[in-house]
Structures are given as structure tokens and as C-alpha cells.
Amino acid sequence: MSYQNAPEGDGPLIVVGGSGGEVGSATSVARETPRPPAGPRIVAKDGALAARTPFLSRRWVRITGGLVLPAIILVVWQVASTSGAFTSAQLPSPAMVWNAAIDLAQRGLLGLYIAISTQRVLIGFACGAALGLVLGAVVGLSRLADILFSSTLAAVRAVPSLAWVPLLILWFKIGEDSKIILIAIGAFFPVYTTVAASLKHVDRHLVEAGRAFGLNGVRLFTTIQLPAVLPSVISGLRLALAQAWLFLVAAELIASSMGLGFLLSDSQNNGRTDRLFLAIILLALLGKATDSLVGLFERWANRRWA
């Protein structure tokens, strides 16, 4: 087995392959490894070769296809609400929900509720996800930390979200602190679990090869281990964001005077089914919007580390 450094100016580049598990430079491997056949291509009018984009990968197809199911749901909803099978108290029409949104917006409450709930989710998600990344990395990389923390955190993870509410209210009263801490708890465990589990299964040959090139500590983590677990980290962040919205509703349903969770509770108490549907739709749209932000981060992270 032999090790070669990459050309000067580039970071250490590790390529495992060849017979006997030889580790060599990218240049030597590139000479010996045949290039994969190119995908289907067509000849443009000017004679240049142009790549053919698969039909289902075109942006307008993906956008249009993503709107098909919501459109079907909206049509079915309209038909069901006007057919007489349900009363307006059971199933309000889309127009009634829209009018409820306009009414709240004119009162200055709709934008306020959305802003407050979004702020709580983003702050709690950032705190919980950051702590989950750090502790997940420690547990995934250290056998001693795994022994000390894994079993206890697994037990705490099984505690339902509503069980934390009375304790947080007792400690932090009915304020922002209790809500943000509850959201952070919800965001912590998906990130911690995925990061710790994925780091334990990183290929040890890659880690040993990185150490042979002089990589240790943070440089080893960012160069070898982080790119290997990046897909799992992104999945954990998506799950954590969904959990943050779930825990937000749990907090605002019980101890809040503003926000979308409060709108749900208040609408139920007052029999305003139109506002109830509005709050559910807004939670769905905000959840999708924040998930799209994680998708943008995923693209940047893939270019940076993958």
C-alpha cells in the first residue's frame, strides 16, 4: 500500500481503489479508470453537442406536477362543502376560509400570528439543531461519550412532547422561554440521533487513510467524516424542522395568547371552523417553506463538502 499527496495547492485527496486496496493519487487513478459512457446527447443546429434533459427532471414539469394534487384536493373540498353532505360548521368552503384570512389580516392579527410562530420555530430549531450536531458528533466519534450518553438520551427521547409542558411552565412561567425550549427539545433529538448513528458507520478505511495524510481532529472531521455523513445530517435537519413545528403547536395550544397554535385553540373554543382550517393550511405552507430553506442549504452543503 502506498500513499501519494495531491498536487501542491490542493487539499489532501484520498482515492481508494485498484488491486489490493492501493491508495493512490487522483491522477494515476484517472489514467487507469475508464470514463463512464456519456448520457444521451443530441446534436444542435450549429453542430455543438447539447445534453438532453430528462422530461421528469425539467423544472416546469416538477412545478406543475407538484401543483396537481393540491388542485385536486381543492376541487374535492369545494364539491364536498357545497354538496350539502356537510354543514358549514363541519366543513367550511374554501371561500369561507379565504374570507377568514382576509378578516384576520385586516385586523392586523394574521401577519402577527405568522411572524410570532415562525420566529419561535426558527430560534428553537437553531438552538436544538446546533446542540444536536455537537452532541451527536461527540457521541458518534467517542466510544466513552457513547457509553455515558446514549442510554440516557434514548430514555429522554421517549418522553412525549406534552409531558414537558407543565414542567417548563412551572420553571419558566408562560413566556417565550418555555416555548422555545420545548421547540429546541423537539429539534434536538432527530439531529442528534442521525448524526451519532451515521458517524459510527463511517468507513474506517477512509478515516485511517485520512490520518495517514496527516489529518486529525477538526480537519479529519470536515475532510473525511462530514462529507460521508452529509446526507444523513440533512435528513436529520428536515426531521428536526418538522418536529419543531409539531412542538410549537403543542406549546401554543396550552400556554399562549398569540401564534398559530393559539389560533387553533381559540377557533375550536369559539366554533370558528373556517379559522381552524386556515391555521392548519398556514402551518402546512410554513412547514413547506422552511423545508425548502433546508433544501437550499443542502445544495450549498453538497457543493461545499460532498
Side-chain angles (χ1 to χ4, degrees), residues 3-15 23-28 213:
Y3 301 94
Q4 299 180 10
N5 288 323
E8 185 177 358
D10 296 333
L13 183 59
I14 304 161
V15 181
V23 181
S25 65
T27 306
S28 61
F213 276 89

Side-chain angles (χ1 to χ4, degrees), residues 3-299:
Y3 301 94
Q4 299 180 10
N5 288 323
E8 185 177 358
D10 296 333
L13 183 59
I14 304 161
V15 181
V16 181
S19 60
E22 182 177 354
V23 181
S25 65
T27 306
S28 61
V29 174
R31 293 196 187 108
E32 299 174 3
T33 306
R35 293 178 176 269
R41 296 189 293 178
I42 58 176
V43 180
K45 291 183 179 180
D46 58 355
L49 291 176
R52 176 184 298 170
T53 303
F55 179 75
L56 294 179
S57 298
R58 297 175 184 177
R59 176 168 299 187
W60 70 269
V61 174
R62 298 179 61 185
I63 295 175
T64 305
L67 294 175
V68 170
L69 185 57
I72 293 174
I73 293 175
L74 186 62
V75 171
V76 173
W77 179 12
Q78 175 66 30
V79 172
S81 62
T82 57
S83 64
F86 303 93
T87 64
S88 59
Q90 294 175 319
L91 185 65
S93 66
M96 295 176 62
V97 175
W98 176 255
N99 291 332
I102 293 177
D103 179 58
L104 287 175
Q106 290 175 345
R107 296 183 183 185
L109 296 176
L110 185 62
L112 179 63
Y113 287 173
I114 292 174
I116 289 175
S117 293
T118 303
Q119 175 181 287
R120 289 168 177 166
V121 166
L122 293 181
I123 295 176
F125 168 74
C127 296
L131 185 59
L133 284 170
V134 173
L135 194 55
V138 171
V139 172
L141 297 175
S142 170
R143 189 179 299 274
L144 177 60
D146 184 23
I147 295 172
L148 293 176
F149 291 103
S150 290
S151 58
T152 302
L153 290 176
V156 176
R157 183 179 57 187
V159 177
S161 60
L162 293 179
W164 293 104
V165 175
L167 182 62
L168 292 176
I169 292 176
L170 180 64
W171 284 352
F172 301 100
K173 310 302 178 183
I174 302 177
E176 290 300 303
D177 292 342
S178 60
K179 299 176 184 63
I180 291 176
I181 291 173
L182 181 62
I183 295 169
I185 291 173
F188 167 79
F189 285 103
V191 177
Y192 160 76
T193 304
T194 54
V195 171
S198 57
L199 282 174
K200 292 177 185 177
H201 295 89
V202 174
D203 190 351
R204 295 189 179 277
H205 294 89
L206 289 177
V207 176
E208 292 173 359
R211 287 172 177 163
F213 276 89
L215 299 178
N216 289 292
V218 177
R219 290 189 63 198
L220 178 66
F221 178 74
T222 57
T223 306
I224 302 295
Q225 293 163 317
L226 181 59
V229 303
L230 185 60
S232 298
V233 173
I234 299 298
S235 298
L237 290 175
R238 288 182 183 271
L239 291 173
L241 192 54
Q243 282 283 93
W245 284 105
L246 292 175
F247 277 60
L248 166 81
V249 174
E252 291 183 342
L253 277 174
I254 296 177
S256 181
S257 58
M258 290 183 293
L260 295 178
F262 167 75
L263 182 60
L264 282 170
S265 178
D266 184 65
S267 301
Q268 179 189 10
N269 295 333
N270 296 319
R272 293 297 303 269
T273 317
D274 51 350
R275 291 185 178 180
L276 194 67
F277 271 75
L278 174 62
I280 293 173
I281 293 172
L282 289 175
L283 287 170
L285 294 177
L286 290 172
K288 172 58 182 173
T290 51
D291 184 76
S292 299
L293 293 178
V294 179
L296 294 176
F297 170 75
E298 180 180 12
R299 294 181 183 178

